Amino acid sequence: MTGMTHAMVKGSNVPLGAMAVRAVLCWTPGTGVPDVDASALLLGAGGRVRSDEDFVFYNQPRHPSGLVRRLPKRSVPEGLTDSIEADLNALDPSVDQVVIAASSDGAAFAQVRDLRILLFDAASAGGDPLAVFDVRPETGEETAIICGELYRRGDGWKFRAVGQGYPTGLVGLATAFGISVDEAEAAAEPDPALSPVTVPSPVAAPAFPPPAFPPAPAPGPDSQATVQHQQPAYGYPQPAVAQPAPQPAPQPAYGYPQPAAAPPAYSYPQPAAAAAPAPDPNFVLPPQGPQFVRS
């Protein structure tokens, strides 16, 4: 550090020549170290916010005036940073202080290593910090800490190193300065693993009569089909199908020669059948029935 940088102790203050400043929170990440978030509160003469809009934090990263804003987190060789930038010279005269705070997520500040706040001239890129304050929690149970405050003094501004902690987190710090916090949002979410599971009772379906739908008409023939098939009616009465008249069975010829049955043609031309031979005029029927021989 150069001689321009003020190493501060708790309760000390330093005048600021810069009218636009950047307050940078820096800490060393690691296993079990919670994440840290920077926030700012714009306070009036009574030490309280003028409205809820005077609270700049991760869910409201920019003040409506645009003069106080939260910058994205960054990873630097010294660790992780989260920053607040404020244009002090342009702030409304009703703003007497800008409180710079830090809150931890998931564990107390006893687990956060090397927490410090560095104050830079926002108009000087890459310059040395104007002031540095190593923030040490008093009890270790704090989940929110006021790291420092920017306040008016005459026509100028000064910075004070504070280091005051709150075990009630960001919600407790915000309500202490007059922020209206919805109790439903502030309440801790119940652990679903510990909450009883409510199984809904089965609800009987209402006994409505089944709707009387008219039977669907049988599908008509397909005009594009090559062969038309009769579709089953599935229980409906079927039209009577005309049956061919029965044909008398052929009688046996009892020994007379039978005409040969015509073989199937199978689409090939068949030879013409030969004419039947003329009957023999000398043919005599053999005797019929029992024969008696005269002795």
Side-chain angles (χ1 to χ4, degrees):
M1 291 184 186
T2 67
M4 298 290 294
T5 300
H6 296 271
M8 306 188 68
V9 297
K10 185 174 180 177
S12 63
N13 61 76
V14 60
L16 299 176
M19 290 295 99
V21 297
R22 182 172 65 255
V24 179
L25 296 179
C26 184
W27 68 98
T28 302
T31 304
V33 177
D35 194 21
V36 176
D37 295 298
S39 58
L41 297 107
L42 285 67
L43 309 182
R48 295 172 68 84
V49 296
R50 300 164 302 168
S51 72
D52 289 349
E53 293 179 337
D54 285 342
F55 188 25
V56 177
F57 67 117
Y58 46 80
N59 282 345
Q60 185 171 275
R62 190 180 185 90
H63 190 265
S65 67
L67 301 176
V68 180
R69 62 193 180 108
R70 182 173 180 262
L71 303 180
K73 290 185 177 181
R74 296 180 55 195
S75 178
V76 297
E78 295 80 9
L80 294 178
T81 68
D82 200 10
S83 306
I84 298 289
E85 199 166 74
D87 188 351
L88 302 176
N89 193 44
L91 281 177
D92 190 273
S94 62
V95 177
D96 280 352
Q97 301 176 59
V98 178
V99 170
I100 308 298
S103 58
S104 60
D105 182 21
F109 272 99
Q111 306 299 320
V112 179
R113 297 179 295 171
D114 307 321
L115 179 64
R116 56 172 48 186
I117 182 171
L118 301 94
L119 202 65
F120 291 87
D121 183 349
S124 176
D128 292 329
L130 304 175
V132 175
F133 172 48
D134 292 328
V135 183
R136 294 184 177 86
E138 295 178 340
T139 67
E141 300 300 319
E142 297 90 343
T143 49
I145 296 179
I146 297 176
C147 299
E149 62 182 10
L150 304 161
Y151 63 99
R152 292 184 187 272
R153 182 61 68 199
D155 295 333
W157 288 79
K158 301 182 77 172
F159 174 73
R160 177 184 292 119
V162 179
Q164 178 183 345
Y166 292 78
T168 50
L170 191 61
V171 172
L173 182 146
T175 54
F177 288 99
I179 296 293
S180 301
V181 179
D182 189 348
E183 294 183 359
E185 295 180 359
E189 292 290 337
D191 186 352
L194 303 178
S195 302
V197 178
T198 303
V199 180
S201 302
V203 179
F208 295 118
F213 295 109
D222 185 358
S223 60
Q224 302 298 321
T226 304
V227 179
Q228 302 294 335
H229 299 277
Q230 181 67 30
Q231 300 296 328
Y234 301 106
Y236 295 99
Q238 307 298 311
V241 179
Q243 301 293 333
Q247 301 294 327
Q251 300 296 324
Y254 298 110
Y256 293 99
Q258 306 297 316
Y266 296 108
S267 301
Y268 294 99
Q270 304 298 315
D280 186 359
N282 298 320
F283 177 74
V284 178
L285 290 173
Q288 303 295 321
Q291 305 296 318
F292 299 95
V293 178
R294 188 183 298 276
S295 57

